[in-house]
Amino acid sequence: DSGFLVTGVELDKTKCKILNSGKSYIHEKGLNKLLTKNLNKNFYVSNKIPSNGDVYIISVGTPVDTNSNGEKFVNSKYLVDSANQIGEIIKPGSLLILRSTVPIGTCRNVVIPIVEKKSGLKCGIDFHFSFAPERTAEGKAIIELKTLPQIIGGINKDSVNATSAIFRDVTSSNIIVDSLESAEMVKLLNNSFKDYIFAFANKVSQIASNFNIDIVKTI
């Protein structure tokens, strides 16, 4: 909607078919209107990553799973698969942006080595790389994409500048942090702090109910 030519990649062919019919398979206020307006104009849907891209944005799930010993771990399968696929087609001068929630160090120690190995290119020299976490809440994602400051951490200054140039046309403001790891930390702090205040609000709500107090009015 900001004028960029975008291809959304979805491996599920059924979902691709739904999107290409002009409908969304998720409910998000304002999304269907944007989809109808831009489909097959500025926005295309495919189950394959185009090989002629200038910018590649990875925004895949990184679920927390449990292993056979009952220990929790971050499942990076979708992230690793995406990095491998992009590594096969990325060209010199391209920009790769990761937006998924990841453990600190994932950009530098997981994604970049995969792309470098697959492509034969050197990150920070042959291609740009940044971490710009997606921080929107379901139900108001369209509004928050336009209004929330975008956090950006890059492998180098050129990567940060290239990423800022894109998000400048989409969001209200960019906040540049010192490194990839700083940006990864911001995203985790953002999530964990929300979890903390929600838990606190739930607890005081339970206490208030014992005294017949309207907690929403009190807050």
Side-chain angles (χ1 to χ4, degrees), residues 58 60-62 74-80 83 96 98-115 123 129-131 155 180-185 188:
I58 300 178
V60 295
T62 49
V74 176
N75 188 337
S76 300
K77 179 185 184 308
Y78 306 120
L79 180 57
V80 169
L96 175 54
L98 177 60
R99 287 177 67 73
S100 302
T101 306
V102 295
I104 297 169
T106 299
C107 289
R108 199 179 301 273
N109 301 323
V110 178
V111 180
I112 290 174
I114 290 172
V115 176
C123 184
F129 185 94
S130 65
F131 184 68
I155 192 73
L180 293 169
E181 289 77 16
S182 293
E184 291 169 331
M185 183 75 175
L188 296 176

Side-chain angles (χ1 to χ4, degrees), residues 186-219:
V186 167
K187 172 59 174 170
L188 296 176
L189 281 172
N190 200 161
N191 282 15
S192 56
F193 182 67
K194 281 184 180 179
D195 189 56
Y196 174 78
I197 59 174
F198 292 161
F200 179 75
N202 287 336
K203 187 62 180 176
V204 294
S205 177
Q206 292 171 357
I207 295 170
S209 66
N210 293 328
F211 296 95
N212 199 30
I213 297 170
D214 184 334
I215 192 61
V216 175
K217 191 179 287 183
T218 304
I219 291 172

Side-chain angles (χ1 to χ4, degrees), residues 77-95:
K77 179 185 184 308
Y78 306 120
L79 180 57
V80 169
D81 287 349
S82 298
N84 273 305
Q85 290 177 47
I86 290 171
E88 291 176 354
I89 57 176
I90 195 169
K91 306 185 304 290
S94 297
L95 167 64

Side-chain angles (χ1 to χ4, degrees), residues 9-200:
V9 179
E10 170 56 67
L11 297 183
D12 188 320
K13 292 182 179 179
T14 301
K15 289 180 179 179
C16 280
K17 191 174 180 180
I18 294 171
L19 289 169
N20 276 315
S21 71
K23 298 176 183 177
S24 171
Y25 53 85
I26 60 168
H27 174 71
E28 193 64 58
K29 189 176 180 180
L31 184 56
N32 277 334
K33 185 179 178 181
L34 285 173
L35 186 59
T36 303
K37 178 183 175 184
N38 291 290
L39 186 64
N40 297 324
K41 295 170 187 172
N42 281 352
F43 180 65
Y44 296 85
V45 180
S46 175
N47 63 345
K48 293 182 180 179
I49 302 175
S51 59
N52 61 341
D54 298 310
V55 181
Y56 298 92
I57 300 176
I58 300 178
S59 187
V60 295
T62 49
V64 176
D65 290 340
T66 306
N67 63 22
S68 56
N69 296 323
E71 300 166 332
K72 294 185 181 297
F73 70 99
V74 176
N75 188 337
S76 300
K77 179 185 184 308
Y78 306 120
L79 180 57
V80 169
D81 287 349
S82 298
N84 273 305
Q85 290 177 47
I86 290 171
E88 291 176 354
I89 57 176
I90 195 169
K91 306 185 304 290
S94 297
L95 167 64
L96 175 54
I97 304 172
L98 177 60
R99 287 177 67 73
S100 302
T101 306
V102 295
I104 297 169
T106 299
C107 289
R108 199 179 301 273
N109 301 323
V110 178
V111 180
I112 290 174
I114 290 172
V115 176
E116 286 183 331
K117 184 176 179 180
K118 279 283 181 179
S119 65
L121 303 176
K122 186 68 178 173
C123 184
I125 298 175
D126 300 314
F127 68 93
H128 306 299
F129 185 94
S130 65
F131 184 68
E134 178 274 311
R135 301 186 300 129
T136 58
E138 289 182 23
K140 51 183 180 179
I142 303 298
I143 295 171
E144 291 192 342
L145 276 171
K146 296 177 180 179
T147 57
L148 281 182
Q150 178 59 59
I151 308 299
I152 301 172
I155 192 73
N156 56 21
K157 189 175 180 180
D158 286 344
S159 296
V160 168
N161 291 340
T163 307
S164 295
I166 291 173
F167 282 107
R168 224 178 1 244
D169 290 337
V170 180
T171 60
S172 56
S173 62
N174 292 327
I175 296 178
I176 310 304
V177 295
D178 292 339
S179 65
L180 293 169
E181 289 77 16
S182 293
E184 291 169 331
M185 183 75 175
V186 167
K187 172 59 174 170
L188 296 176
L189 281 172
N190 200 161
N191 282 15
S192 56
F193 182 67
K194 281 184 180 179
D195 189 56
Y196 174 78
I197 59 174
F198 292 161
F200 179 75

